[in-house]
Amino acid sequence: VNLSGNLTRQGKDKTASVKSENDHVINIGQMIEEMEIDLRNQLDTLYIQKTREVINSIRRPSSSNNMPSQAFVADLSGHIQNFKRGD
């Protein structure tokens, strides 16, 4: 399983008032934080999709004996939800 890749994003143009150098630094910091949140959300979505792909490739639907139990699926779903919340 290959989980490597790259991601490039360009932020939207933003005009902000600058009265001093400190205001400029604050504006840049806010722009960086907004971009970081956007990238993290996109990567989280990608990670969950890849996890589902891997889990589905492990399953063998040809035989009901090889299907994961409902308890296993519930446990796995719980762990994924906890990971998304940061628990």
Side-chain angles (χ1 to χ4, degrees):
V1 176
N2 184 6
L3 297 176
S4 65
N6 61 33
L7 181 63
T8 304
R9 294 281 186 245
Q10 181 174 348
K12 296 178 182 175
D13 290 341
K14 184 177 181 179
T15 304
S17 62
V18 177
K19 296 178 183 173
S20 69
E21 290 180 10
N22 289 338
D23 291 342
H24 185 64
V25 172
I26 290 169
N27 290 334
I28 290 175
Q30 290 172 344
M31 291 171 63
I32 290 171
E33 287 175 352
E34 290 170 6
M35 181 60 70
E36 179 188 11
I37 290 168
D38 184 45
L39 287 172
R40 285 182 183 271
N41 288 337
Q42 291 175 10
L43 286 174
D44 185 44
T45 302
L46 177 65
Y47 177 78
I48 296 300
Q49 290 172 350
K50 190 64 174 182
T51 301
R52 285 184 184 147
E53 182 181 318
V54 169
I55 295 297
N56 288 335
S57 71
I58 294 172
R59 292 179 34 200
R60 295 185 185 117
S62 60
S63 171
S64 62
N65 292 339
N66 291 332
M67 294 294 288
S69 68
Q70 288 183 343
F72 171 76
V73 173
D75 185 46
L76 182 61
S77 296
H79 285 292
I80 290 173
Q81 291 301 321
N82 288 341
F83 180 81
K84 286 175 67 175
R85 287 193 311 255
D87 293 345

